[in-house]
Amino acid sequence: MAKRPSLGHQFWQRLEEKKCIGESRHQAKIEAKEQGGKVEGIYSYNTYGAYKQASKTFCTWVKKEFPEVKYLSQIDKDICAMYIRHRAESCSAYTYSQDIAMLNKCLDVGITKEYCGVSKRSLNNITNNRSDNGFKTSSGAVESILRGTGLRRNELAKLKVENLIIDENKVVGVRVKAGSKGGRPRDVEVRREFQEPIYKLIEGLESHSKVINEQIPKELQTHRLRAEYAQNMYKELIDLGRNDPLQDLTQSMGHNRKSVLVHYGVKINKK
């Protein structure tokens, strides 16, 4: 049996596959535009070297935070976003922008500064993404739903009333079918204190209608609200006497590994 290559070697292999040194990047851009795609290759030695070094730093972090991850295919969009937020705490905007570019090039995760919650960070303005920037929508509806469900931005934008699980004038759950990471559907439990408020927000809407019609502002820290859901939902699941509250929460959050929850600030009770 062949030995499994290290994460670092897997990144190197991926970078080698992308290497197009000596070829015309300008021509590649023209062809990509004609085909409705994007430039996939790496056309500069400097870029190749920068991405190689950035991938080594990323691998070191992954090995420490997610030792169970052994293959590039196991690294999802949320893990990448967590890494970028970690980097933004001590690195310049230029550095973590390069990290984003490397991850998108190697893993095709499609993350942005906005998605990672670091859009306004710079070398002189480094803040923790869990800190409230004070931004609020005029209605507060989006915040209430995110606090109650922990949905991702794209999931909420595509959520329809027919996807809600309603019981006795309360929204007790959400069936995520559109906009989910990897297209994987899942059921989400709604926090108790938000079950009635969310029902009142959608009461009277047609089943095929979207739950929200307003645009979700880029300034809204959806990751912070998602973390707030995770922390409070975990406590509720424990109070409910669930056999495995961590697994239940992991499923609601749309992840495969329980270890991801610590990056949402979930304080895991150790027996």
Side-chain angles (χ1 to χ4, degrees):
M1 181 181 293
K3 182 180 179 182
R4 171 181 55 78
S6 66
L7 271 182
H9 189 73
Q10 291 175 54
F11 264 103
W12 175 80
Q13 290 176 317
R14 186 65 56 84
L15 287 168
E16 285 293 302
E17 293 170 3
K18 301 282 186 179
K19 188 188 285 186
C20 298
I21 308 297
E23 298 180 23
S24 171
R25 185 172 187 272
H26 177 69
Q27 184 61 36
K29 289 175 69 175
I30 293 174
E31 293 174 359
K33 186 176 181 179
E34 292 175 346
Q35 298 171 11
K38 58 184 179 180
V39 178
E40 297 287 351
I42 299 173
Y43 297 83
S44 159
Y45 279 114
N46 288 338
T47 300
Y48 178 86
Y51 284 2
K52 185 176 180 180
Q53 183 57 50
S55 70
K56 290 180 179 179
T57 305
F58 176 67
C59 286
T60 299
W61 179 83
V62 171
K63 289 176 184 177
K64 178 181 178 181
E65 299 295 332
F66 300 97
E68 71 275 19
V69 172
K70 304 298 182 184
Y71 299 95
L72 297 188
S73 60
Q74 294 177 285
I75 303 173
D76 60 27
K77 195 171 183 177
D78 283 345
I79 288 178
C80 291
M82 291 171 196
Y83 176 69
I84 297 303
R85 292 197 294 275
H86 161 74
R87 292 284 279 170
E89 292 176 359
S90 58
C91 297
S92 70
Y94 174 85
T95 299
Y96 65 71
S97 293
Q98 186 170 262
D99 291 331
I100 290 174
M102 180 276 295
L103 292 170
N104 285 335
K105 182 69 71 174
C106 292
L107 304 177
D108 197 27
V109 287
I111 58 173
T112 62
K113 291 180 182 178
E114 289 77 15
Y115 181 85
C116 299
V118 296
S119 57
K120 293 185 178 180
R121 286 178 176 147
S122 65
L123 183 61
N124 297 319
N125 183 26
I126 298 173
T127 59
N128 191 314
N129 188 51
R130 292 193 183 120
S131 300
D132 190 350
N133 65 4
F135 180 85
K136 294 179 176 61
T137 61
S138 57
S139 67
V142 174
E143 291 96 318
S144 292
I145 297 172
L146 289 174
R147 284 191 171 98
T149 64
L151 295 179
R152 298 182 176 95
R153 179 185 293 268
N154 196 42
E155 293 170 344
L156 177 55
K158 296 183 178 181
L159 185 66
K160 293 185 176 181
V161 175
E162 62 189 9
N163 302 133
L164 303 178
I165 304 171
I166 300 173
D167 181 42
E168 296 183 352
N169 297 334
K170 295 180 181 180
V171 177
V172 298
V174 177
R175 289 199 168 99
V176 179
K177 295 184 177 181
S180 61
K181 182 183 67 180
R184 297 190 298 268
R186 73 181 190 281
D187 285 353
V188 174
E189 296 188 62
V190 178
R191 287 175 55 195
R192 285 172 292 187
E193 68 176 282
F194 289 94
Q195 292 176 1
E196 286 187 25
I198 294 177
Y199 177 79
K200 290 179 180 178
L201 288 173
I202 58 92
E203 189 176 13
L205 294 179
E206 298 292 333
S207 63
H208 62 275
S209 300
K210 285 189 174 182
V211 171
I212 60 165
N213 290 312
E214 60 185 287
Q215 183 125 10
I216 303 175
K218 291 182 179 180
E219 296 86 353
L220 186 64
Q221 297 170 300
T222 55
H223 275 285
R224 182 180 61 79
L225 298 174
R226 186 164 152 80
E228 183 179 319
Y229 166 84
Q231 295 164 24
N232 288 285
M233 194 68 225
Y234 180 53
K235 296 174 184 176
E236 286 189 23
L237 293 171
I238 293 174
D239 291 342
L240 289 170
R242 294 292 179 82
N243 291 329
D244 194 343
L246 278 179
Q247 181 56 44
D248 291 347
L249 179 58
T250 300
Q251 192 276 330
S252 279
M253 296 289 288
H255 289 293
N256 296 319
R257 297 178 296 278
K258 299 177 185 179
S259 58
V260 173
L261 297 179
V262 297
H263 294 279
Y264 291 98
V266 175
K267 296 181 180 179
I268 300 173
N269 294 333
K270 297 181 180 181
K271 296 182 179 180

